[in-house]
Amino acid sequence: MQLISALASALLVQSSVALADDSSFVTASPNAGSAVSDLYPPAGTSVDSALFPPESEVGFPGPTPTGVQPAAIQTALSYPDNRGPSNQFPLVAPQPHGHDSTENKFDITKYWGNLSPWYSLNSADYGLPDTSPLAPKGCSVTQVHLLYRHGARYPTTGAAPAQFADKIANATKTGLQVSGDLAFLADWTYKLGGELLTPFGRSQEFLLGIQHRQLYGHLLNNFTETGTIPVFRTESQDRMVKTTHNFAAGFFGVPEYLDQVSIEILVETPGVNNSGAPYEVCTNSNVASRGGIGNTMASKFAKDAFNATIARLNSQVSGVDFTYSDILAMLQLCSYETISLGYSAFCKLFSQEDFLNYEYWFDISFYYNNGPGSPVSAAQGKAYLQEFVARFTGEYPEGWSALNTTFDNSSTYFPLNQSIYADATHEVVVLDALTAFNLTALFKGPALSVTGNTRENSFVASKLVPFATHFTAQVLECSAYKPTKQIRFLVNDAVIPVADSYAGCPNDPHGLCSFDNVVSILQDRINEIDFDYDCFGNYTAEEGVDYNGRAPKS
């Protein structure tokens, strides 16, 4: 009994010391907040192909007969959804601050806005509970059009995470002390690069390529019949080029993709037309009171959304005062460090409510910058709308948008007879395109409010613009439909209904509508969108308005 009593007393003493240590302040290292980096490969190194020859020189490949192309989109009994832990392997995302272990697990990665990894959405969430991406019974997919975002990347150079690191580094010069939840900041350094794909981002695109080969591989037979190979398009930024290479590697295999697909790289720079980067030629997209309404409104929401967390964290630091901007920066560090380094100590600082507010901050920003609340979003998405319609009709698109007519009037660079199209772009452009396509089911409900999330609108940024998000148009031949040629749209595996936004389209349980009718409606939409006025006009846009992505004219 005396031994047990002594052990219990020792444990109590240890617990008391641990509690005291948690609440005591630690002086931060002089290097806290400083930027650090590694470099690989070493300078001057490369593979010596004379010593390590490729497969083509070594020979002895063994049997290489090919099977049929996979066509799971029309042969599988169920659809391979991307849900659960598999969609974020090998990342580690902890439970929120204060989350009871007995509560249901809360997946923080689904509340990171455009920094979330993509996952399969439910068609039921948009009003189609009885369908899936699989071809409906009696239908076969004859063509697929894919518009997809790059995978997970490092932050934009000089953005909020780096600014927060500078703030910590500057605070160490005058004496920074931390305690409790913030104790890790004592020797924390800024380890993120700028804008490049992360290893996880590469895997997202590689797997996306594999997924689409499994689903739509049968469409390659059309290229075999015509003796051609596909053209896949992307932009010139490093992460965009690497995104397309990883997608192509997943789709065609390594090293086969190097000579089985033509990768077209369009220059992304100010003043150059490019459907994948329309903001470079749309002046009003960079005007705060027009293309930047979402930034202003999101800031108004955030100012009072994190007060309790600001107070809690400020009580654990001396030498610096945190504001709502710092909270947002730390939440972004949670996201960026996780997708870049595999884990982030910042994540455990924030409660479930914080992550919900973090998501809504993104929702407001994207809804009003690139969604229906923006006066320039439809104009920016017009180029992709024109290009999709051109591929539908087999006629080259006209100008009057951000598309590049030099390339888009060329059968070499803009072929009109492919059965598979794949264009890589940025999340803002994907959302611009969805707005231009007038897919109102994605934004159903009243315009978002800065006073709080009423959850009356179907729009959620992490669902529509996550890393590797993708917008798909399936063209199908359906024997039971009249006419037999049908089309439907999907976003991250959710089939999107068009009956409410496309006149003449029925309330079809599978989201199908006559191909010719949809093309006609989209041609009318192209004519409605005034690119010149929306992008260069002198008008006044108000906050909190659903403009359907088009500038007000009165």
Side-chain angles (χ1 to χ4, degrees):
M1 287 295 294
Q2 288 181 337
L3 179 58
I4 293 174
S5 178
L7 285 171
S9 298
L11 287 171
L12 285 171
V13 169
Q14 286 183 337
S15 298
S16 299
V17 171
L19 288 171
D21 287 345
D22 284 344
S23 60
S24 61
F25 281 84
V26 176
T27 300
S29 161
N31 295 323
S34 62
V36 295
S37 64
D38 296 322
L39 179 64
Y40 185 86
T45 61
S46 63
V47 174
D48 187 335
S49 58
L51 297 176
F52 300 93
E55 175 189 18
S56 58
E57 292 184 20
V58 173
F60 304 96
T64 59
T66 60
V68 299
Q69 293 292 346
I73 198 69
Q74 41 201 56
T75 61
L77 292 178
S78 61
Y79 188 77
D81 290 316
N82 179 37
R83 295 200 183 100
S86 62
N87 84 301
Q88 50 187 259
F89 175 83
L91 310 182
V92 177
Q95 289 298 289
H97 182 274
H99 202 77
D100 192 314
S101 59
T102 63
E103 297 179 74
N104 291 330
K105 287 189 175 182
F106 180 82
D107 187 350
I108 63 174
T109 70
K110 292 184 178 178
Y111 300 90
W112 291 354
N114 67 321
L115 307 184
S116 291
W118 89 273
Y119 61 95
S120 294
L121 305 179
N122 291 310
S123 302
D125 292 346
Y126 300 98
L128 295 175
D130 300 320
T131 194
S132 83
L134 297 177
K137 186 176 181 180
C139 296
S140 59
V141 177
T142 60
Q143 191 179 53
V144 65
H145 302 251
L146 176 67
L147 181 64
Y148 66 106
R149 183 197 180 190
H150 59 75
R153 61 166 174 83
Y154 287 129
T156 302
T157 304
Q163 293 172 16
F164 176 82
D166 289 341
K167 183 169 184 173
I168 295 300
N170 290 331
T172 63
K173 298 174 183 176
T174 55
L176 174 66
Q177 293 188 315
V178 291
S179 67
D181 298 329
L182 294 175
F184 74 93
L185 280 180
D187 57 3
W188 171 79
T189 53
Y190 186 71
K191 303 175 181 68
L192 303 175
E195 306 178 45
L196 302 175
L197 278 187
T198 68
F200 174 66
R202 296 199 301 269
S203 74
Q204 285 184 294
E205 298 302 341
F206 185 77
L207 290 172
L208 194 65
I210 292 174
Q211 175 196 20
H212 281 77
R213 180 62 174 266
Q214 291 294 116
L215 296 173
Y216 302 105
H218 67 289
L219 297 178
L220 288 175
N221 291 326
N222 296 305
F223 294 95
T224 302
E225 292 172 5
T226 58
T228 60
I229 60 175
V231 174
F232 287 177
R233 302 192 312 164
T234 190
E235 286 74 55
S236 60
Q237 289 189 350
D238 186 86
R239 68 178 178 277
M240 301 307 307
V241 175
K242 301 302 193 299
T243 283
T244 302
H245 277 268
N246 279 281
F247 176 86
F251 193 95
F252 294 98
V254 179
E256 289 85 356
Y257 86 95
L258 294 172
D259 57 13
Q260 292 187 12
V261 60
S262 297
I263 295 177
E264 178 181 348
I265 302 172
L266 297 168
V267 172
E268 178 175 348
T269 194
V272 175
N273 278 38
N274 182 341
S275 53
Y279 39 78
E280 301 290 14
V281 293
C282 180
T283 301
N284 282 336
S285 71
N286 299 303
V287 175
S289 61
R290 295 177 186 134
I293 291 175
N295 298 335
T296 304
M297 295 188 67
S299 292
K300 288 180 179 179
F301 165 75
K303 281 183 179 178
D304 293 315
F306 303 100
N307 290 341
T309 298
I310 293 173
R312 172 169 57 84
L313 295 183
N314 273 333
S315 71
Q316 299 176 29
V317 66
S318 174
V320 68
D321 286 322
F322 293 141
T323 66
Y324 79 92
S325 296
D326 297 314
I327 298 301
L328 289 171
M330 286 189 275
L331 280 161
Q332 290 174 69
L333 280 163
C334 159
S335 305
Y336 278 119
E337 287 192 343
T338 301
I339 61 174
S340 303
L341 308 174
Y343 173 78
S344 174
F346 284 97
C347 295
K348 296 188 74 173
L349 297 178
F350 301 105
S351 66
Q352 180 171 320
E353 182 182 8
D354 290 331
F355 283 108
L356 292 172
N357 286 331
Y358 181 44
E359 172 63 50
Y360 192 60
W361 175 71
F362 280 118
D363 295 348
I364 294 174
S365 176
F366 279 95
Y367 183 92
Y368 291 104
N369 279 350
N370 303 96
S374 166
V376 299
S377 57
Q380 293 191 107
K382 182 178 181 179
Y384 270 129
L385 174 58
Q386 289 177 289
E387 290 178 339
F388 269 62
V389 170
R391 291 162 173 170
F392 292 155
T393 62
E395 299 177 357
Y396 291 118
E398 297 179 0
W400 308 111
S401 71
L403 64 77
N404 192 312
T405 54
T406 300
F407 290 95
D408 282 10
N409 285 319
S410 163
S411 59
T412 299
Y413 299 111
F414 194 77
L416 296 172
N417 59 349
Q418 293 189 169
S419 51
I420 302 171
Y421 289 97
D423 290 66
T425 187
H426 306 275
E427 79 278 27
V428 292
V429 187
V430 172
L431 189 54
D432 288 333
L434 296 175
T435 306
F437 271 78
N438 200 29
L439 295 172
T440 56
L442 298 172
F443 314 101
K444 193 172 184 178
L448 302 190
S449 170
V450 296
T451 59
N453 190 356
T454 61
R455 292 175 175 78
E456 297 177 276
N457 194 296
S458 59
F459 176 72
V460 178
S462 59
K463 292 184 176 182
L464 299 193
V465 292
F467 285 124
T469 190
H470 42 287
F471 168 47
T472 308
Q474 291 178 340
V475 180
L476 307 98
E477 203 47 47
C478 300
S479 58
Y481 283 73
K482 298 297 179 186
T484 57
K485 191 173 185 179
Q486 298 282 310
I487 189 172
R488 65 177 181 172
F489 301 106
L490 300 84
V491 176
N492 295 334
D493 294 340
V495 181
I496 308 303
V498 295
D500 291 342
S501 47
Y502 290 7
C505 287
N507 285 304
D508 184 82
H510 300 293
L512 292 167
C513 187
S514 161
F515 178 85
D516 289 339
N517 185 56
V518 169
V519 169
S520 177
I521 288 167
L522 294 179
Q523 288 172 327
D524 289 341
R525 178 68 168 171
I526 288 171
N527 294 328
E528 288 175 5
I529 300 170
D530 189 338
F531 179 81
D532 283 353
Y533 179 75
D534 295 0
C535 283
F536 307 110
N538 184 17
Y539 53 83
T540 300
E542 298 179 6
E543 298 177 2
V545 178
D546 180 349
Y547 284 115
N548 191 225
R550 297 156 61 193
K553 291 192 174 182
S554 61

mmCIF file of all heavy atoms in Angstrom, residues 298-320:
data_model
loop_
_atom_site.group_PDB
_atom_site.id
_atom_site.type_symbol
_atom_site.label_atom_id
_atom_site.label_comp_id
_atom_site.label_asym_id
_atom_site.label_seq_id
_atom_site.Cartn_x
_atom_site.Cartn_y
_atom_site.Cartn_z
ATOM 1 N N ALA A 298 -15.283 39.187 -47.503
ATOM 2 C CA ALA A 298 -14.738 38.134 -46.642
ATOM 3 C C ALA A 298 -14.037 38.731 -45.433
ATOM 4 O O ALA A 298 -14.136 38.209 -44.313
ATOM 5 C CB ALA A 298 -13.784 37.252 -47.433
ATOM 6 N N SER A 299 -13.342 39.837 -45.632
ATOM 7 C CA SER A 299 -12.667 40.509 -44.513
ATOM 8 C C SER A 299 -13.676 41.040 -43.504
ATOM 9 O O SER A 299 -13.444 40.971 -42.290
ATOM 10 C CB SER A 299 -11.796 41.657 -45.042
ATOM 11 O OG SER A 299 -10.709 41.160 -45.796
ATOM 12 N N LYS A 300 -14.786 41.569 -43.988
ATOM 13 C CA LYS A 300 -15.827 42.071 -43.079
ATOM 14 C C LYS A 300 -16.364 40.945 -42.207
ATOM 15 O O LYS A 300 -16.614 41.132 -41.003
ATOM 16 C CB LYS A 300 -16.963 42.701 -43.884
ATOM 17 C CG LYS A 300 -16.615 44.031 -44.532
ATOM 18 C CD LYS A 300 -17.805 44.595 -45.310
ATOM 19 C CE LYS A 300 -17.452 45.942 -45.938
ATOM 20 N NZ LYS A 300 -18.589 46.500 -46.720
ATOM 21 N N PHE A 301 -16.541 39.766 -42.796
ATOM 22 C CA PHE A 301 -17.013 38.627 -42.015
ATOM 23 C C PHE A 301 -15.976 38.189 -40.991
ATOM 24 O O PHE A 301 -16.295 37.925 -39.823
ATOM 25 C CB PHE A 301 -17.340 37.454 -42.946
ATOM 26 C CG PHE A 301 -17.477 36.140 -42.229
ATOM 27 C CD1 PHE A 301 -18.602 35.869 -41.474
ATOM 28 C CD2 PHE A 301 -16.463 35.179 -42.286
ATOM 29 C CE1 PHE A 301 -18.720 34.663 -40.785
ATOM 30 C CE2 PHE A 301 -16.577 33.979 -41.612
ATOM 31 C CZ PHE A 301 -17.707 33.715 -40.861
ATOM 32 N N ALA A 302 -14.724 38.118 -41.411
ATOM 33 C CA ALA A 302 -13.675 37.556 -40.557
ATOM 34 C C ALA A 302 -13.346 38.421 -39.350
ATOM 35 O O ALA A 302 -12.863 37.909 -38.333
ATOM 36 C CB ALA A 302 -12.413 37.323 -41.387
ATOM 37 N N LYS A 303 -13.593 39.707 -39.421
ATOM 38 C CA LYS A 303 -13.193 40.617 -38.342
ATOM 39 C C LYS A 303 -13.746 40.221 -36.984
ATOM 40 O O LYS A 303 -13.101 40.436 -35.960
ATOM 41 C CB LYS A 303 -13.619 42.043 -38.697
ATOM 42 C CG LYS A 303 -12.685 42.722 -39.685
ATOM 43 C CD LYS A 303 -13.102 44.159 -39.969
ATOM 44 C CE LYS A 303 -12.129 44.822 -40.958
ATOM 45 N NZ LYS A 303 -12.538 46.206 -41.299
ATOM 46 N N ASP A 304 -14.943 39.644 -36.951
ATOM 47 C CA ASP A 304 -15.553 39.269 -35.675
ATOM 48 C C ASP A 304 -15.820 37.775 -35.560
ATOM 49 O O ASP A 304 -16.500 37.335 -34.639
ATOM 50 C CB ASP A 304 -16.865 40.039 -35.474
ATOM 51 C CG ASP A 304 -16.642 41.535 -35.301
ATOM 52 O OD1 ASP A 304 -15.731 41.905 -34.531
ATOM 53 O OD2 ASP A 304 -17.360 42.321 -35.944
ATOM 54 N N ALA A 305 -15.280 36.988 -36.497
ATOM 55 C CA ALA A 305 -15.587 35.556 -36.518
ATOM 56 C C ALA A 305 -14.700 34.727 -35.598
ATOM 57 O O ALA A 305 -15.053 33.599 -35.249
ATOM 58 C CB ALA A 305 -15.488 35.030 -37.953
ATOM 59 N N PHE A 306 -13.556 35.281 -35.187
ATOM 60 C CA PHE A 306 -12.573 34.471 -34.442
ATOM 61 C C PHE A 306 -12.202 35.108 -33.095
ATOM 62 O O PHE A 306 -11.120 34.849 -32.567
ATOM 63 C CB PHE A 306 -11.311 34.286 -35.287
ATOM 64 C CG PHE A 306 -11.561 33.665 -36.629
ATOM 65 C CD1 PHE A 306 -11.634 34.454 -37.772
ATOM 66 C CD2 PHE A 306 -11.736 32.299 -36.760
ATOM 67 C CE1 PHE A 306 -11.861 33.891 -39.018
ATOM 68 C CE2 PHE A 306 -11.967 31.719 -38.005
ATOM 69 C CZ PHE A 306 -12.040 32.522 -39.132
ATOM 70 N N ASN A 307 -13.081 35.925 -32.548
ATOM 71 C CA ASN A 307 -12.741 36.686 -31.339
ATOM 72 C C ASN A 307 -12.331 35.802 -30.165
ATOM 73 O O ASN A 307 -11.362 36.103 -29.448
ATOM 74 C CB ASN A 307 -13.918 37.583 -30.927
ATOM 75 C CG ASN A 307 -14.117 38.731 -31.902
ATOM 76 O OD1 ASN A 307 -13.217 39.071 -32.662
ATOM 77 N ND2 ASN A 307 -15.303 39.332 -31.895
ATOM 78 N N ALA A 308 -13.048 34.714 -29.932
ATOM 79 C CA ALA A 308 -12.735 33.839 -28.792
ATOM 80 C C ALA A 308 -11.359 33.204 -28.968
ATOM 81 O O ALA A 308 -10.576 33.118 -28.005
ATOM 82 C CB ALA A 308 -13.803 32.761 -28.650
ATOM 83 N N THR A 309 -11.043 32.797 -30.183
ATOM 84 C CA THR A 309 -9.749 32.173 -30.438
ATOM 85 C C THR A 309 -8.623 33.195 -30.347
ATOM 86 O O THR A 309 -7.531 32.891 -29.840
ATOM 87 C CB THR A 309 -9.753 31.497 -31.822
ATOM 88 O OG1 THR A 309 -10.761 30.468 -31.808
ATOM 89 C CG2 THR A 309 -8.408 30.878 -32.145
ATOM 90 N N ILE A 310 -8.863 34.403 -30.812
ATOM 91 C CA ILE A 310 -7.861 35.467 -30.694
ATOM 92 C C ILE A 310 -7.522 35.699 -29.229
ATOM 93 O O ILE A 310 -6.344 35.791 -28.850
ATOM 94 C CB ILE A 310 -8.370 36.774 -31.344
ATOM 95 C CG1 ILE A 310 -8.488 36.608 -32.859
ATOM 96 C CG2 ILE A 310 -7.427 37.931 -31.024
ATOM 97 C CD1 ILE A 310 -9.151 37.791 -33.545
ATOM 98 N N ALA A 311 -8.556 35.770 -28.372
ATOM 99 C CA ALA A 311 -8.333 36.000 -26.940
ATOM 100 C C ALA A 311 -7.561 34.839 -26.319
ATOM 101 O O ALA A 311 -6.631 35.043 -25.525
ATOM 102 C CB ALA A 311 -9.672 36.192 -26.236
ATOM 103 N N ARG A 312 -7.927 33.616 -26.674
ATOM 104 C CA ARG A 312 -7.251 32.437 -26.104
ATOM 105 C C ARG A 312 -5.775 32.400 -26.495
ATOM 106 O O ARG A 312 -4.905 32.175 -25.650
ATOM 107 C CB ARG A 312 -7.963 31.157 -26.560
ATOM 108 C CG ARG A 312 -7.230 29.872 -26.187
ATOM 109 C CD ARG A 312 -8.087 28.642 -26.419
ATOM 110 N NE ARG A 312 -8.568 28.521 -27.776
ATOM 111 C CZ ARG A 312 -7.878 27.978 -28.778
ATOM 112 N NH1 ARG A 312 -6.652 27.510 -28.566
ATOM 113 N NH2 ARG A 312 -8.398 27.890 -29.980
ATOM 114 N N LEU A 313 -5.483 32.635 -27.766
ATOM 115 C CA LEU A 313 -4.096 32.551 -28.222
ATOM 116 C C LEU A 313 -3.268 33.742 -27.746
ATOM 117 O O LEU A 313 -2.077 33.591 -27.443
ATOM 118 C CB LEU A 313 -4.052 32.432 -29.744
ATOM 119 C CG LEU A 313 -4.668 31.141 -30.317
ATOM 120 C CD1 LEU A 313 -4.509 31.099 -31.828
ATOM 121 C CD2 LEU A 313 -4.027 29.900 -29.685
ATOM 122 N N ASN A 314 -3.874 34.903 -27.650
ATOM 123 C CA ASN A 314 -3.129 36.066 -27.141
ATOM 124 C C ASN A 314 -2.752 35.908 -25.676
ATOM 125 O O ASN A 314 -1.765 36.496 -25.217
ATOM 126 C CB ASN A 314 -3.930 37.349 -27.348
ATOM 127 C CG ASN A 314 -3.699 37.969 -28.721
ATOM 128 O OD1 ASN A 314 -2.645 37.780 -29.319
ATOM 129 N ND2 ASN A 314 -4.675 38.719 -29.214
ATOM 130 N N SER A 315 -3.522 35.100 -24.957
ATOM 131 C CA SER A 315 -3.184 34.864 -23.544
ATOM 132 C C SER A 315 -1.987 33.937 -23.400
ATOM 133 O O SER A 315 -1.435 33.787 -22.308
ATOM 134 C CB SER A 315 -4.392 34.254 -22.811
ATOM 135 O OG SER A 315 -4.614 32.916 -23.218
ATOM 136 N N GLN A 316 -1.565 33.309 -24.508
ATOM 137 C CA GLN A 316 -0.460 32.351 -24.475
ATOM 138 C C GLN A 316 0.783 32.881 -25.183
ATOM 139 O O GLN A 316 1.702 32.119 -25.495
ATOM 140 C CB GLN A 316 -0.906 31.030 -25.135
ATOM 141 C CG GLN A 316 -2.085 30.374 -24.417
ATOM 142 C CD GLN A 316 -2.579 29.123 -25.132
ATOM 143 O OE1 GLN A 316 -1.818 28.433 -25.797
ATOM 144 N NE2 GLN A 316 -3.860 28.836 -24.991
ATOM 145 N N VAL A 317 0.826 34.186 -25.424
ATOM 146 C CA VAL A 317 1.971 34.777 -26.111
ATOM 147 C C VAL A 317 2.274 36.142 -25.521
ATOM 148 O O VAL A 317 1.376 36.857 -25.059
ATOM 149 C CB VAL A 317 1.685 34.884 -27.631
ATOM 150 C CG1 VAL A 317 0.562 35.859 -27.912
ATOM 151 C CG2 VAL A 317 2.940 35.234 -28.407
ATOM 152 N N SER A 318 3.529 36.492 -25.516
ATOM 153 C CA SER A 318 3.965 37.811 -25.059
ATOM 154 C C SER A 318 4.969 38.354 -26.068
ATOM 155 O O SER A 318 5.855 37.624 -26.522
ATOM 156 C CB SER A 318 4.623 37.710 -23.676
ATOM 157 O OG SER A 318 5.154 38.960 -23.293
ATOM 158 N N GLY A 319 4.799 39.612 -26.439
ATOM 159 C CA GLY A 319 5.711 40.215 -27.409
ATOM 160 C C GLY A 319 5.100 40.405 -28.780
ATOM 161 O O GLY A 319 5.722 40.964 -29.682
ATOM 162 N N VAL A 320 3.859 39.959 -28.933
ATOM 163 C CA VAL A 320 3.151 40.132 -30.199
ATOM 164 C C VAL A 320 1.652 40.018 -29.912
ATOM 165 O O VAL A 320 1.239 39.306 -28.995
ATOM 166 C CB VAL A 320 3.586 39.064 -31.231
ATOM 167 C CG1 VAL A 320 3.124 37.681 -30.834
ATOM 168 C CG2 VAL A 320 3.078 39.411 -32.622
#
